[in-house]
């Protein structure tokens, strides 16, 4: 930690724990302490830490080819694009390295794919789309923007879930609307199917594009491969990252073929995007989800967790609401949750708190009932110690 603090920029609030190993639902620190990880890698290790299929794919691919520049073809990138396309809406993929980059790609493509003069985006209050200049502008939360002005132009905001406000905000310059089907950092706010359907109809009527940011909700997290599949509302562009690579950095922007066709050579690029190693890992994630029936497990464990959390809510007045979908669960408290997260960690269970009061519980898709039981038992104790019974 001394070395780290001396040489690494202190731009994160870091817990005084050195994680050295991970396996499945667990991580170990340098002192050998084991933690049940119910928020693995901020939703990156979606199928658990060091999943054997991902490890095997990485080992095999590393021995063959790690990287090849994007002016050549490579086998894993093509295979991954097919996995994504076949399991979503038949789109074509551009690969990058993170969620923010995937969203940047979506903004660039949306401007190219709509008539000249259309260049404005509408995003939602409490959204989160990344930390680059354009994506903090898209993120309609002032705390992420403060100090970084001037920010790129062409973004407007409306309240999440308010169709009328969206309709009023769309003008002749609007080219696209970007929505997280479930807001993650914003506090696990679930868009209703009706709202998403209405937004789709509105975008069609106004001839503008609909972009879903599925960076956090994608890759099975909600019990479907992609959260939009619950509503049946198909976006024009979808962005992915986080758990796509099973822990390896990779992002993707997926667009309907006729829209994707606008991204011709010279318009956009990423040196590392879709490199052989990351793409091989992401293919292994798709294979694991299918072979191990992880969508089914996610749905089953989700039902179980929501039932147990409803019981927990009965015991703790401080819990205002439990919401979410699949294994993307928010426990909204009437008081700040940071103390609860710290107490859980002392007891060997890792969870997260976002938006000051929302505990985030996002176990990997391989989670078992026994893990959920332990997590909720620990949460129960932590809530009692922090706020009383
Ligand atoms: N979009 C959403 C919905 C996210 O939750 C995040 C990260 O938390 C991002 C975009 C940014 O992703 P990255 O940190 O990989 O740039």
């Amino acid at each position: 930690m001394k070395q780290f603090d001396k040489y690494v920029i202190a731009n994160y609030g870091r817990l005084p724990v050195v994680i050295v190993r991970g396996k499945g639902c667990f991580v170990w620190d340098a002192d050998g302490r084991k933690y049940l990880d119910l928020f693995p890698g901020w939703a990156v290790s979606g199928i658990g830490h060091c999943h054997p299929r991902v490890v095997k794919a990485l080992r095999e691919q590393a021995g063959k080819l790690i990287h090849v520049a994007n002016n050549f073809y490579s086998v894993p990138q093509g295979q991954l694009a097919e996995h994504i396309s076949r399991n979503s809406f038949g789109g074509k993929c551009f690969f990058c390295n993170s969620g923010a980059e995937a969203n940047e790609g979506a903004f660039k493509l949306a401007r190219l794919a709509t008539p000249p003069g259309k260049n404005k985006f509408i995003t939602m209050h409490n959204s989160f789309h990344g930390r680059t200049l354009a994506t903090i502008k898209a993120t309609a939360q002032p705390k992420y923007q403060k100090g970084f002005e001037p920010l790129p132009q062409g973004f407007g905001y409306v309240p999440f879930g308010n169709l009328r406000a969206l309709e009023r905000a769309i003008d002749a310059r609007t080219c696209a609307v970007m929505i997280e089907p479930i807001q993650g950092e914003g506090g696990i706010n679930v868009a209703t199917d009706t709202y998403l359907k209405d937004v789709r109809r509105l975008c069609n009527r106004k001839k503008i594009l609909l972009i879903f940011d599925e960076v956090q909700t994608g890759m099975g997290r909600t019990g479907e491969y992609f959260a939009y599949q619950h509503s049946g509302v198909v976006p024009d562009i979808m962005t992915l990252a986080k758990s796509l690579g099973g822990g390896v950095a990779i992002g993707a922007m997926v667009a309907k073929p006729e829209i994707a066709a606008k991204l011709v050579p010279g318009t956009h690029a990423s040196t590392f995007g879709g490199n052989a190693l990351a793409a091989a890992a992401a293919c292994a994630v798709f294979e694991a989800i299918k072979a191990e029936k992880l969508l089914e497990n996610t749905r089953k464990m989700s039902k179980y967790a929501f039932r147990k959390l409803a019981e927990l809510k009965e015991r703790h007045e401080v819990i205002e609401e439990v919401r979410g979908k699949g294994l993307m669960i928010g426990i909204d408290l009437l008081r700040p949750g940071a103390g609860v997260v710290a107490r859980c960690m002392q007891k060997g269970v890792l969870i997260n708190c976002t938006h000051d009061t929302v505990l985030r519980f996002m176990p990997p898709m391989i989670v078992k009932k026994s893990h959920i039981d332990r997590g909720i038992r620990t949460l129960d104790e932590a809530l009692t110690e922090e706020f009383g019974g």
Side-chain angles (χ1 to χ4, degrees):
M1 285 196 277
K2 231 190 225 165
Q3 176 199 48
F4 198 106
D5 287 339
K6 187 163 177 197
Y7 296 109
V8 179
I9 293 177
N11 63 313
Y12 298 98
R14 233 180 273 276
L15 299 161
V17 177
V18 184
I19 302 292
V20 293
R21 189 160 73 88
K23 189 165 191 279
C25 295
F26 295 94
V27 288
W28 286 260
D29 71 16
D31 300 323
R33 207 164 165 231
K34 185 177 175 184
Y35 301 83
L36 173 63
D37 194 354
L38 300 177
F39 193 68
W42 290 68
V44 164
S45 306
I47 59 167
H49 291 278
C50 298
H51 191 288
R53 285 177 197 265
V54 174
V55 173
K56 183 167 177 275
L58 283 170
R59 286 204 169 113
E60 284 176 10
Q61 189 59 47
K64 267 194 289 200
L65 179 71
I66 293 177
H67 174 82
V68 63
N70 273 314
N71 59 333
F72 291 97
Y73 287 84
S74 81
V75 177
Q77 188 176 142
Q79 288 173 335
L80 175 59
E82 180 169 354
H83 277 300
I84 295 174
S85 184
R86 282 187 184 276
N87 286 298
S88 58
F89 50 85
K92 295 184 89 169
C93 303
F94 162 81
F95 292 104
C96 50
N97 312 286
S98 67
E101 275 178 88
N103 287 334
E104 291 271 0
F107 296 140
K108 284 180 70 177
L109 175 57
R111 282 186 176 169
L112 282 185
T114 46
K118 280 190 180 285
N119 50 38
K120 219 175 96 185
F121 300 96
I122 300 174
T123 63
M124 307 293 141
H125 291 172
N126 286 330
S127 56
F128 187 86
H129 298 297
R131 297 288 201 142
T132 60
L133 287 176
T135 55
I136 58 171
K137 186 66 186 274
T139 294
Q141 298 193 56
K143 68 176 179 187
Y144 293 112
Q145 302 175 343
K146 204 164 163 273
F148 301 110
E149 299 84 357
L151 294 173
Q153 295 187 345
F155 290 85
Y157 314 128
V158 294
F160 186 67
N162 186 331
L163 188 76
R164 284 224 170 140
L166 179 60
E167 184 158 14
R168 273 198 302 272
I170 294 171
D171 61 25
R173 279 183 51 214
T174 307
C175 76
V177 175
M178 179 179 270
I179 305 183
E180 296 157 83
I182 303 174
Q183 291 188 329
E185 308 300 309
I188 313 288
N189 306 313
V190 184
T192 64
D193 290 354
T194 315
Y195 173 65
L196 294 179
K197 282 178 189 160
D198 287 342
V199 171
R200 178 71 273 183
R201 270 195 288 270
L202 182 60
C203 288
N204 291 350
R205 185 153 55 81
K206 300 277 186 184
K207 296 192 169 46
I208 60 177
L209 301 179
L210 177 58
I211 307 169
F212 281 167
D213 177 339
E214 293 237 21
V215 167
Q216 197 166 141
T217 53
M219 297 306 290
R221 169 61 51 199
T222 67
E224 294 285 352
Y225 274 103
F226 305 103
Y228 81 82
Q229 290 164 329
H230 293 280
S231 66
V233 172
V234 178
D236 299 298
I237 303 175
M238 168 173 81
T239 55
L240 304 173
K242 291 223 186 252
S243 61
L244 177 59
V248 180
I250 184 165
M253 176 193 65
V254 193
K256 287 180 176 166
E258 64 278 16
I259 295 167
K262 303 287 180 191
L263 216 58
V264 296
T267 51
H268 197 47
S270 163
T271 297
F272 288 110
N275 70 81
L277 198 65
C283 286
V285 174
F286 273 101
E287 283 151 21
I289 291 174
K290 191 165 176 208
E292 296 166 25
K293 298 193 172 13
L294 296 182
L295 291 177
E296 290 83 341
N297 191 58
T298 298
R299 289 180 207 133
K300 229 191 281 170
M301 291 303 111
S302 170
K303 257 195 203 145
Y304 184 70
F306 273 104
R307 182 155 62 75
K308 287 281 170 183
L309 286 167
E311 289 167 19
L312 187 75
K313 182 176 181 297
E314 291 303 306
R315 293 197 292 279
H316 294 276
E317 279 179 8
V318 73
I319 300 180
E320 194 181 20
E321 191 184 19
V322 179
R323 55 178 183 259
K325 211 170 240 175
L327 290 173
M328 183 167 182
I329 302 173
I331 302 154
D332 201 353
L333 305 179
L334 294 167
R335 312 256 299 270
V340 179
V341 173
R343 285 181 193 275
C344 285
M345 194 180 90
Q346 279 160 14
K347 296 168 189 292
V349 174
L350 306 181
I351 58 166
N352 166 267
C353 179
T354 189
H355 226 68
D356 195 32
T357 61
V358 184
L359 300 177
R360 247 190 315 185
F361 190 79
M362 292 179 63
M365 296 168 76
I366 55 165
V367 75
K368 295 194 174 108
K369 272 186 181 172
S370 57
H371 302 134
I372 291 174
D373 286 341
R374 168 147 180 236
I376 292 177
R377 212 166 45 237
T378 305
L379 191 55
D380 198 353
E381 286 169 20
L383 286 167
T384 304
E385 286 169 15
E386 187 76 4
F387 304 118

